[in-house]
Every structure is written in structure tokens, then in C-alpha cells.
């Protein structure tokens, strides 16, 4: 997230009480876990790092059934880290979602789309129809949509809004 919002990321690190050295060491350990030739599956990694999920429930998406696991996020009490896992434990998706019962932000115009204020799902609902676009990395998503007659592209990292670019012409949306 620091790629898009370095100031917010620095503020978040301080709020969490972590030094820059601790942040770098945590990232180094995570990268080593992910890239290890004896690496455990993604779901096992999340469980070992995050502990038991706060909630786990079956979820049906189309004709696929998976398990949705939710972990609290200390930095954002109204969000949860959600992992969608296949019956065999393979991870299909991992991102931030609004916590059950938490209020979603009011999103009526592009001006309401502030960094770290909304999730992919919230933006997609508020500005439907949207056109999903490929992100620049596996943990990134983009949505194209029209807001107040203007073309917008929202960028997300781990499902959390990072930035919005706005132009005058509306995009082609379904």
C-alpha cells in the first residue's frame, strides 16, 4: 500500500507502534515464507501468522462453494481480512472487506473516494455498473466506472481503495 500512499503507510506503521526496522524484518520473514521451496500453502501461512480466524463460514459464488475466513485488522477495526479458500485449502482470494455490522462509507461522487476509505465491493455497488480491470500485481484490482458523468478508474491493494483517476469521458461499462 506504500506504493500508492507512502504517507498513510508511514502513519499506519507509527500507529501500530512498529519501527521501520521491525516493518522491514516482518516483510523479510513474510517473503521468505512465501518463497520458501518448502513453503506451506497460503491458507496455512495465514493461519500461522494471523492465528485462528475470527469467523469461518461457507460461501457460494456462482456454482462454487468455498470457505470465507475472516480475521480482525488492528489498524482498521471496521475491516476484516477475508480469505476465500477452496474445499482442498487452496486460496482463491485474499482481501480486505467491511466487517459484519460495520457501516459502509457513503459514496455518491468521486470526491467521496478517499484513500483507504472503501473496499472493492463498496465502490462496485455504489457506482454500478463497473468494469473490472487487471491490476498491476496479484494483490491489486482496478475498477472503471462513471461518477457524476466522468470516467473514473479506482485502484485497490488487498481490496482497499488506494487512489482514483478521473477524466471527462465516461468509460465503456457493461
Amino acid at each position: 500500500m506504500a506504493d500508492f500512499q507512502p504517507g498513510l503507510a508511514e502513519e499506519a506503521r507509527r500507529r501500530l507502534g512498529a519501527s521501520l526496522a521491525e516493518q522491514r524484518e516482518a516483510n523479510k520473514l513474510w517473503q521468505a515464507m512465501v518463497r520458501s521451496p518448502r513453503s506451506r500453502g497460503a491458507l496455512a501461512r495465514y493461519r500461522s501468522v494471523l492465528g485462528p480466524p475470527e469467523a469461518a463460514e461457507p460461501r457460494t459464488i456462482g456454482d462454487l462453494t468455498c470457505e470465507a475466513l475472516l480475521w480482525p485488522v488492528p489498524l482498521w477495526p471496521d475491516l476484516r481480512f477475508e480469505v476465500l479458500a477452496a474445499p482442498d485449502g487452496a486460496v482463491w482470494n485474499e482481501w480486505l472487506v467491511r466487517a459484519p455490522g460495520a457501516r459502509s462509507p457513503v459514496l455518491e461522487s468521486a470526491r467521496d473516494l478517499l484513500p483507504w476509505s472503501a473496499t472493492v465491493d463498496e465502490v462496485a455497488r455504489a457506482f454500478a455498473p463497473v468494469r473490472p480491470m487487471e491490476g498491476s500485481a496479484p494483490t491489486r484490482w482496478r475498477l472503471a466506472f462513471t461518477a457524476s458523468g466522468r470516467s473514473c478508474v479506482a485502484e485497490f491493494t488487498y481490496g482497499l481503495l488506494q487512489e482514483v483517476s478521473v477524466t471527462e469521458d465516461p468509460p465503456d461499462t457493461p
Side-chain angles (χ1 to χ4, degrees):
M1 293 187 196
D3 293 348
F4 287 102
Q5 299 295 333
L8 289 176
E10 176 66 17
E11 180 184 321
R13 182 185 59 75
R14 287 189 183 129
R15 281 181 48 206
L16 292 171
S19 70
L20 189 54
E22 289 169 321
Q23 175 187 338
R24 288 182 178 144
E25 183 63 19
N27 184 59
K28 178 181 165 186
L29 291 171
W30 178 255
Q31 295 301 325
M33 284 177 70
V34 170
R35 289 168 174 59
S36 169
R38 295 182 310 270
S39 176
R40 298 186 259 174
L43 186 55
R45 278 195 307 272
Y46 284 126
R47 286 179 184 273
S48 73
V49 171
L50 300 174
E54 172 183 83
E57 59 189 40
R59 173 107 30 102
T60 301
I61 302 167
D63 59 353
L64 300 173
T65 300
C66 63
E67 184 176 32
L69 300 106
L70 297 170
W71 283 271
V73 182
L75 189 59
W76 298 293
D78 286 350
L79 297 178
R80 295 295 179 266
F81 185 69
E82 178 184 76
V83 171
L84 298 179
D88 67 359
V91 171
W92 288 341
N93 194 34
E94 55 215 305
W95 61 359
L96 293 164
V97 297
R98 193 66 50 191
R103 294 178 60 141
S104 294
V106 176
L107 303 174
E108 296 174 344
S109 74
R111 287 187 300 278
D112 298 326
L113 297 171
L114 303 174
W116 295 14
S117 69
T119 65
V120 170
D121 187 50
E122 291 165 338
V123 173
R125 278 194 317 262
F127 298 101
V130 300
R131 181 170 44 97
M133 302 168 63
E134 189 172 339
S136 59
T139 59
R140 295 184 180 172
W141 294 265
R142 296 171 66 209
L143 293 178
F145 57 93
T146 302
S148 305
R150 300 171 75 192
S151 273
C152 300
V153 174
E155 302 262 357
F156 300 84
T157 299
Y158 281 105
L160 190 63
L161 180 66
Q162 299 299 309
E163 65 184 18
V164 177
S165 56
V166 180
T167 60
E168 294 304 318
D169 299 321
D172 296 328
T173 53

